[in-house]
Amino acid sequence: MERVYNKLVRDNIPEIIESKGEKPIISILDDQRYKEELEKKLYEEYNEVIEASGLDRVEELADMIEVIKSLAKLENKTLEEVIGIANKKSEKRGAFDKKIFLEKVI
């Protein structure tokens, strides 16, 4: 039975499909299309995080991190560098630990 996905998948997915006796039809994306598909994947993973809870949410967050790693690599950065930037921003502007909700400024 043919199933159409038309989406970016993890590197080992074609081999996993083949191991099940099925034939994956794939193409390799150019850099611009790869970036666009990563952005779509980030949105897809975001929605899955929002809908999940408990350990499932942690799994979805891990998927989101994998996409962020790939997007960072396109900018010639590592996840560790992105986290370093996040930490510097946290030191300067704070994190979200205090659960502050800004209603308005007068």
Side-chain angles (χ1 to χ4, degrees):
M1 176 174 84
E2 183 176 296
R3 297 179 308 279
V4 178
Y5 291 96
N6 288 327
K7 68 179 191 173
L8 185 67
V9 296
R10 289 176 178 260
D11 296 342
N12 295 339
I13 296 300
E15 289 82 8
I16 292 169
I17 291 169
E18 287 173 349
S19 74
K20 295 178 181 179
E22 297 177 300
K23 180 178 176 160
I25 307 300
I26 65 167
S27 59
I28 304 301
L29 304 175
D30 63 31
D31 287 346
Q32 180 59 39
R33 180 88 189 280
Y34 176 56
K35 178 180 174 274
E36 292 166 3
E37 292 299 321
L38 277 171
E39 290 166 350
K40 287 181 191 176
K41 181 62 82 172
L42 185 62
Y43 185 70
E44 174 188 325
E45 297 301 342
Y46 157 80
N47 284 319
E48 291 175 0
V49 166
I50 296 303
E51 294 172 6
S53 62
L55 289 178
D56 288 340
R57 177 170 268 193
V58 174
E59 285 282 326
E60 298 304 339
L61 287 167
D63 289 344
M64 203 169 192
I65 288 172
E66 194 63 41
V67 175
I68 291 169
K69 283 171 45 179
S70 295
L71 284 166
K73 188 185 273 187
L74 284 176
E75 303 301 328
N76 297 312
K77 300 293 180 195
T78 65
L79 179 62
E80 291 75 20
E81 289 172 301
V82 172
I83 291 171
I85 292 166
N87 289 339
K88 285 180 186 174
K89 287 182 87 169
S90 182
E91 289 170 16
K92 183 177 180 180
R93 301 180 61 101
F96 297 97
D97 297 330
K98 295 180 182 178
K99 305 174 187 174
I100 296 169
F101 183 79
L102 179 62
E103 294 179 26
K104 61 181 159 182
V105 175
I106 301 173

